[in-house]
Amino acid sequence: MEKELRVIISGGGTGGHIFPAISIANAVKAMRPDAKILFVGALGRMEMQRVPAAGYEIKGLPICGFDRKNLLKNVKVLYKIWKSQRMAKKIIKDFRPQVAVGVGGYASGPTLNKAAAMGIPCLIQEQNSYAGVTNKLLAKKAEKICVAYEGMERFFPAEKIILTGNPVRQALLDTTITREDSIRSFGLDPEKKTILLVGGSLGARTINESMLRHLDLIKESGLQFIWQTGKYYSAEIAERLKDQHLPNLKVTDFITDMGAAYRAADLVISRAGASSISEFCLIGKPVILVPSPNVAEDHQTKNAQALSTRDAAIYIKDAEAPDCLIQTAIETVNNDAKLKSLSENVLKLALPDSANIIAKEVINLANGI
């Protein structure tokens, strides 16, 4: 009889960290239904809601990032780091995991530092083509480092690296809805080409501004658009659109069924988060990437360039998007040869079965293999 499997998974802050973490947990549970899994996140961050919603227990640490603008505030940050280290040690002592997994984000630092110091084998998963600060610091202490891009030896010891890809939301891959039904579910016409714009759950100001600046072009395009504005911007955009007659535009603050949205789209406009890119690769979706400039180490630009240099995506700089994004999207979606080429090239970059590959590594580490 196998010994009980106990796993700590730590990290979060964004969907790009949380979705892979939950996918790994689900894959571990599928292989070992008896596994006990505990998440450790940062208090006040989105993992504290998303993880329990997925059916897992989570403990919160008071950790936060350094304030680069107001250095005096970092006295409080240092105290929170110290407190988080102490709390992480107690959580690990009480839970007694055989393995710790870090997916990036504030909480994974103190959790995996303490786990390694207590002799617990650690695995880290890096979603981006440019490694995050936390994972770079943890690399020396990790036994295995699972990555989604080639060439990560410039950040991590080569002998620890396993090229696994990023786990994605399984519901996106399992959706059975047809393109026609998915378009009708948004109240649109299946006979027309469709562009989907997503800026994450909170929205993306630049993508939204690009749309608002070119409403006449959108009206005359003969195309239709599904526009996720994000909850933060939805009221302002509704106000600015109230006198516009745009039957070819479906505006929503949040899309619950992203599988249907992707199926409806002939072309997607998106930020360049690692999880989103992994989804586009696996479903072979033509995409225009507008990287957010407001992320650590400008990693979204590196992600976008990793695809655009292989002709697997179109990359538009954030500063240039308000002027040219919508025109480029219209030209692209009307070019069937370009859509086919983008789809074929992005599919070549797909790394399927990531969650299961990582889960096997987690279980092996727990078993001392």
Side-chain angles (χ1 to χ4, degrees):
M1 188 176 170
E2 290 180 299
K3 65 178 180 179
E4 185 180 58
L5 176 62
R6 304 177 75 83
V7 182
I8 270 185
I9 301 177
S10 185
T14 66
H17 293 311
I18 297 162
F19 294 138
I22 291 170
S23 295
I24 294 165
N26 291 342
V28 169
K29 287 291 273 187
M31 291 175 193
R32 288 286 302 272
D34 64 314
K36 302 283 190 297
I37 298 175
L38 177 67
F39 280 74
V40 181
L43 290 169
R45 306 289 287 189
M46 63 192 290
E47 60 264 27
M48 301 308 294
Q49 283 78 45
R50 294 287 176 88
V51 169
Y56 294 100
E57 184 186 355
I58 186 166
K59 303 276 188 186
L61 304 178
I63 189 89
C64 62
F66 282 101
D67 190 323
R68 292 184 174 89
K69 292 176 183 172
N70 189 335
L71 295 178
L72 286 175
K73 285 187 179 177
N74 289 323
V75 174
K76 193 180 281 186
V77 174
L78 288 169
Y79 171 72
K80 286 183 176 181
I81 291 171
W82 174 81
K83 190 175 179 184
S84 295
Q85 296 267 15
R86 290 194 60 170
M87 288 174 68
K89 185 176 181 180
K90 185 175 188 317
I91 290 166
I92 293 163
K93 206 170 175 182
D94 291 346
F95 185 68
R96 296 174 291 106
Q98 289 114 341
V99 61
V101 179
V103 294
Y106 298 137
S108 62
T111 307
L112 266 73
N113 267 321
K114 284 298 171 188
M118 295 163 78
I120 295 156
C122 298
L123 176 148
I124 58 177
Q125 198 253 333
E126 174 55 60
Q127 296 94 27
N128 293 293
S129 60
Y130 192 92
V133 173
T134 302
N135 278 346
K136 282 192 280 191
L137 292 171
L138 291 170
K140 290 177 185 173
K141 298 173 182 182
E143 309 281 329
K144 303 278 185 183
I145 303 170
C146 297
V147 301
Y149 292 89
E150 293 175 351
M152 298 301 283
E153 297 83 6
R154 66 193 195 279
F155 303 112
F156 303 129
E159 68 279 4
K160 296 182 179 183
I161 292 174
I162 307 165
L163 184 63
T164 60
N166 282 324
V168 303
R169 293 172 280 185
Q170 195 60 36
L172 298 180
L173 307 179
D174 292 344
T175 187
T176 56
I177 192 170
T178 64
R179 177 184 179 275
E180 290 73 20
D181 285 346
S182 60
I183 290 175
R184 284 194 188 97
S185 75
F186 288 98
L188 297 173
D189 181 356
E191 298 298 315
K192 291 184 176 178
K193 291 261 183 94
T194 304
I195 296 172
L196 168 68
L197 301 100
V198 285
S201 57
L202 295 177
R205 180 180 290 281
T206 300
I207 291 175
N208 291 342
E209 196 55 46
S210 301
M211 287 289 281
L212 290 167
R213 229 188 251 196
H214 297 284
L215 294 176
D216 289 343
L217 195 57
I218 289 161
K219 199 179 289 187
E220 297 159 8
S221 67
L223 305 168
Q224 52 197 7
F225 298 76
I226 301 168
W227 179 12
Q228 180 185 279
T229 62
K231 293 183 178 178
Y232 186 78
Y233 301 103
S234 60
E236 175 196 344
I237 288 167
E239 180 66 25
R240 290 176 70 175
L241 292 177
K242 70 178 182 182
D243 296 325
Q244 299 283 342
H245 179 63
L246 290 158
N248 62 333
L249 182 59
K250 167 68 178 177
V251 184
T252 179
D253 65 339
F254 184 72
I255 297 170
T256 306
D257 188 351
M258 282 306 300
Y262 284 154
R263 187 61 60 90
D266 296 285
L267 175 70
V268 179
I269 294 171
S270 173
R271 288 304 201 188
S275 286
S276 297
I277 285 178
S278 295
E279 291 167 359
F280 303 139
C281 291
L282 285 163
I283 61 178
K285 191 57 63 173
V287 62
I288 297 176
L289 296 170
V290 185
S292 170
N294 307 312
V295 293
E297 290 97 26
D298 197 24
H299 66 251
Q300 285 203 8
T301 295
K302 317 286 196 312
N303 292 346
Q305 289 170 338
L307 267 68
S308 63
T309 54
R310 294 171 171 86
D311 294 320
I314 294 169
Y315 157 44
I316 293 180
K317 292 179 180 176
D318 186 84
E320 296 170 3
D323 290 331
C324 69
L325 175 60
I326 302 307
Q327 182 66 51
T328 301
I330 290 168
E331 289 169 3
T332 303
V333 85
N334 284 320
N335 184 338
D336 289 339
K338 181 65 174 175
L339 289 179
K340 186 171 184 284
S341 165
L342 286 169
S343 179
E344 288 173 351
N345 289 337
V346 81
L347 270 171
K348 289 174 190 170
L349 302 179
L351 291 165
D353 211 29
S354 301
N356 287 330
I357 295 167
I358 296 168
K360 283 175 189 168
E361 294 294 337
V362 171
I363 292 167
N364 286 343
L365 275 180
N367 292 329
I369 299 171

